[in-house]
Amino acid sequence: MNHQKTIILNSEFDTQTLAQALADEFKLLSGSIWLSGDLGAGKTTFTRYLLQALGHTGAVKSPTYTLVEPYLIGGKPVYHCDLYRLNDPEELDFIGFFDYFNEPNSLMIIEWASRAKSILPKADVLIEIKKLDNDVRQVTMICE
Ligand code: ADP
Ligand code: MG
């Protein structure tokens, strides 16, 4: 069933709390989460807290230049992707991007999926982050 929920996060701590609350559910998800929102909305920040809540302990680099940063968390392959700098969706074929989706149990977390919307498998969860004020964010989550 398709459901949607909008919440207000008043601080980065609230963002961390949301990531922790969702981690148990996303641990079981094999598929993709799309994160949308302007530059600086908090997509990478949310992902960093999510990866930590899933059990990742090292650094979380923004994949802005590499397009993809891979993680293996408790045996689960997790790929953090940022397609902002993608020039042509076809480039994804060259880097073997679609193989990641086919790995058993893999979770794709994709910033700027809109850049390759025409060729990506559809999202299982959509998270839209909107900056309302300095530390305040509006988050809309849609489960397909
Ligand atoms: P994006 O990946 O969407 O371009 P980033 O996560 O890189 O955005 O940057 C978001 C910035 O906003 C960070 O500097 C972060 O510390 C700050 N920030 C302030 N409040 C929040 C919040 N409630 N949630 C997420 N990030 C926040
Ligand atoms: Mg980012």
Side-chain angles (χ1 to χ4, degrees), residues 40-60:
K43 302 179 292 299
T44 299
T45 301
F46 172 81
T47 304
R48 184 172 292 124
Y49 288 129
L50 179 62
L51 292 171
Q52 289 167 350
L54 289 171
H56 174 69
T57 50
V60 174

Side-chain angles (χ1 to χ4, degrees), residues 38-40 42-45 47 62-64 80-82 111-112:
D38 292 341
L39 284 176
K43 302 179 292 299
T44 299
T45 301
T47 304
S62 175
T64 308
H80 179 202
C81 318
D82 182 344
E111 299 182 38
W112 293 103

Side-chain angles (χ1 to χ4, degrees), residues 6-98:
T6 297
I7 56 171
I8 299 294
L9 305 172
N10 286 303
S11 65
E12 201 170 312
F13 180 74
D14 283 356
T15 300
Q16 181 178 20
T17 304
L18 174 66
Q20 287 167 341
L22 292 171
D24 276 342
E25 206 174 314
F26 291 165
K27 227 172 234 174
L28 306 172
L29 177 65
S30 126
S32 60
I33 301 167
W34 289 8
L35 294 171
S36 68
D38 292 341
L39 284 176
K43 302 179 292 299
T44 299
T45 301
F46 172 81
T47 304
R48 184 172 292 124
Y49 288 129
L50 179 62
L51 292 171
Q52 289 167 350
L54 289 171
H56 174 69
T57 50
V60 174
K61 287 193 292 174
S62 175
T64 308
Y65 294 97
T66 52
L67 294 185
V68 183
E69 288 290 336
Y71 298 87
L72 190 61
I73 307 173
K76 185 179 183 67
V78 180
Y79 294 94
H80 179 202
C81 318
D82 182 344
L83 306 184
Y84 186 68
R85 288 179 182 273
L86 192 70
N87 296 308
D88 182 340
E90 304 297 325
E91 281 173 30
L92 293 178
D93 262 334
F94 291 109
I95 63 166
F97 192 77
F98 297 100

